[in-house]
Amino acid sequence: MALFWLSDEAWTAIEPHLPKNQPGARRVDDRRVISGIIHVLKVGSRWCDCPADYGPSTTIYNRFNRWSRRGFWLQLLAALVDAGVVTKSTAIDSTYIKIQRAAFGAKGGARRKRSGDPGAAGPQRSMRSPTLSAVPMR
């Protein structure tokens, strides 16, 4: 699968908006990490399955969560829209439908339930057919 990398134009638009002078360990390359985050979001894979070319998957996951809480991604999108790199649009894709657990035959699912009316279910299965009982047996 092809890896995603931010273009020079996109990087120039978002670089001024990146947080600076953060305490802690030396930061890894922001461009590489952001490219990894976008790759995981585009592909729809798990964070731990992020290719090693982007850096450690825990760094990519932690950076996404931290910046999400700070509202960084909204600022990043606004900067890319203002620079004309992307258009602001929304797409909704719901590929699943929530159903009840019993709908597929799990516990309490697709089993026959007896009706309150004894004649509603039809004749009992253990009885002989009336046509067979009329035929004399030899």
Side-chain angles (χ1 to χ4, degrees), residues 14-83:
I14 65 171
E15 189 175 19
H17 300 284
L18 296 176
K20 304 275 193 268
N21 300 328
Q22 296 293 315
R26 188 178 64 82
R27 286 167 57 116
V28 296
D29 182 24
D30 286 328
R31 186 173 185 171
R32 185 175 70 163
V33 171
I34 293 172
S35 295
I37 291 169
I38 294 172
H39 174 80
V40 169
L41 296 176
K42 282 179 69 173
V43 172
S45 66
R46 300 179 307 170
W47 293 105
C48 62
D49 293 334
C50 184
D53 296 350
Y54 297 120
S57 60
T58 53
T59 301
I60 294 170
Y61 172 75
N62 290 336
R63 185 86 53 97
F64 175 77
N65 279 332
R66 216 174 317 129
W67 285 359
S68 294
R69 285 190 297 258
R70 294 181 189 165
F72 168 75
W73 297 110
L74 297 174
Q75 295 171 7
L76 182 134
L77 178 61
L80 291 173
V81 169
D82 291 343

Side-chain angles (χ1 to χ4, degrees), residues 1 3 13 16 32 37 47-48 58 76 87 96-97 101-102 104 107 114 117 126 128:
M1 177 170 295
L3 300 178
R32 185 175 70 163
I37 291 169
W47 293 105
C48 62
T58 53
L76 182 134
T87 58
Y96 69 93
I97 299 171
R101 182 175 73 166
F104 189 65
K107 181 178 177 183
R114 292 189 167 225
D117 181 15
S126 62
R128 290 179 51 151

